[in-house]
Amino acid sequence: MPTPPFPLTGKVALVAGATRGAGRGIATELGALGATVICTGRSTRASADGTGMSDLNRPETIEDTADLVTAAGGMGVAWRCDHSDAAQVAALMAHLHTEYGGLDILINDIWGGESLMEWGKKVWELDLNRGRRMLERAIWTHIITAHAGLPLSRAGGLIAEITDGDGWYYRGSFFYDLAKTGVMRLAQNWASELKDDPRAITSVSVTPGFLRSEEMLAHFGVTADTWRDAVKQEPDFAESETPHLVGRGIAALAADPQKHRFNAEALASWTLMDEYGFSDLDGSKPHWGNWYRDKVKPRL
């Protein structure tokens, strides 16, 4: 573990989509390295009646995440923001400019497509309205956020687009594939847009592996402590990872003074793990890339 002064002390991070899952793990691990982390999302304690919350109807809130950031050693700040609303995003960025003078780390982890996915159908069989909503939630929100956030980014900063997968293979459903590869393309586009920018901002996309998110644990009917029971239902879950693994990868990348060598690349929690030598919460080193190559791909 790092010792004071922490490598991200004095740095300001925005984790857009920090309520749960990878976003929560990323926010917490940035806090563990001393960062001030603004945690945004739609689910708050004040909206526990469901008003204005996400359609997942889950108990996690941005205040919970902010508390975890602070407990980890950073400073967590909860800010309710619907990233599909450009006015709300503009107000958020105006606050960041006034309060902190800029932004060092921008994490785009907005998703909201769980209820919109359709598997086992050809594109002409898909619901166009559901598909459009998925693209609006998963890509347009990222564009709105980067459009407003990149002008605030300070020299040597980082923007990371969180996605599913680090390659250009087809992801099994038309709109889902567009959403996830589209986010990867955004990272490349930001790198191109910033190519001659003297601030030398690094832009990457990052994927976790098989994620033990709150929603996935609920899907299998297990908890963070009993997750291994789910391997009986889904053998590939044996190589799953907590949201902290990708969080530690992004935190290590953000603290790396030579991170620009990864500019425009599609990275993964396991490639960052190999690069920086960290492990998951229990000391294990789940490597979904190797597992997929050796166990999953031969079955396809």
Side-chain angles (χ1 to χ4, degrees):
M1 295 293 292
T3 56
F6 298 117
L8 294 180
T9 297
K11 301 297 184 182
V12 178
L14 167 61
V15 180
T19 311
R20 59 184 65 83
R24 173 172 285 188
I26 293 165
T28 303
E29 293 301 333
L30 288 170
L33 295 192
T36 294
V37 185
I38 293 80
C39 307
T40 67
R42 292 178 293 164
S43 299
T44 70
R45 292 171 184 165
S47 59
D49 61 355
T51 304
M53 294 183 71
S54 76
D55 54 13
L56 289 180
N57 193 29
R58 290 197 53 82
E60 299 86 17
T61 69
I62 53 174
E63 291 92 346
D64 296 337
T65 302
D67 287 348
L68 290 170
V69 170
T70 301
M75 179 180 293
V77 179
W79 184 283
R80 189 191 184 282
C81 184
D82 182 342
H83 286 265
S84 67
D85 186 334
Q88 289 189 37
V89 174
L92 166 65
M93 298 304 175
H95 171 75
L96 296 181
H97 177 69
T98 300
E99 185 71 18
Y100 304 105
L103 194 59
D104 300 288
I105 303 160
L106 172 56
I107 309 299
N108 256 334
D109 186 45
I110 311 125
W111 166 226
E114 291 89 349
S115 63
L116 302 171
M117 293 187 289
E118 297 182 272
W119 301 102
K121 295 182 179 181
K122 298 297 184 181
V123 61
W124 53 87
E125 299 172 323
L126 297 174
D127 185 303
L128 285 176
N129 288 326
R130 289 164 68 100
R132 180 175 64 185
R133 287 177 64 198
M134 180 182 289
L135 297 181
E136 288 173 347
R137 290 183 177 188
I139 299 178
W140 185 241
T141 55
H142 290 225
I143 294 171
I144 290 173
T145 305
H147 179 269
L150 283 174
L152 290 183
S153 296
R154 290 192 270 249
L158 172 70
I159 176 170
E161 297 283 346
I162 309 305
T163 187
D164 176 12
D166 60 348
W168 296 100
Y169 54 87
Y170 187 58
R171 284 156 175 77
S173 183
F174 179 77
F175 288 115
Y176 183 79
D177 179 79
L178 279 183
K180 297 307 181 179
T181 58
V183 167
M184 291 170 62
R185 186 63 178 172
L186 287 183
Q188 293 183 339
N189 287 356
W190 307 145
S192 294
E193 293 282 322
L194 294 163
K195 181 177 63 173
D196 300 318
D197 195 300
R199 292 175 294 173
I201 298 166
T202 300
S203 174
V204 297
S205 63
V206 182
T207 182
F210 198 158
L211 195 66
R212 293 204 299 275
S213 65
E214 299 89 346
E215 188 178 11
M216 188 58 67
L217 292 172
H219 170 75
F220 286 125
V222 294
T223 68
D225 293 326
T226 66
W227 70 269
R228 289 177 181 81
D229 293 342
V231 177
K232 302 170 187 175
Q233 305 173 54
E234 174 51 78
D236 293 329
F237 205 53
E239 198 68 5
S240 63
E241 63 193 58
T242 76
H244 289 265
L245 193 74
V246 69
R248 289 176 174 180
I250 288 178
L253 181 66
D256 184 353
Q258 304 300 321
K259 60 180 168 289
H260 202 64
R261 70 189 186 276
F262 294 114
N263 194 38
E265 290 194 16
L267 304 173
S269 58
W270 57 90
T271 55
L272 292 169
M273 178 181 68
D274 290 343
E275 177 71 22
Y276 294 110
F278 56 85
S279 60
D280 210 338
L281 289 178
D282 62 359
S284 66
K285 293 195 171 186
H287 197 297
W288 181 251
N290 288 346
W291 183 275
Y292 184 87
R293 181 195 64 205
D294 299 337
K295 304 288 187 179
V296 179
K297 196 171 182 180
R299 302 198 303 261
L300 299 179

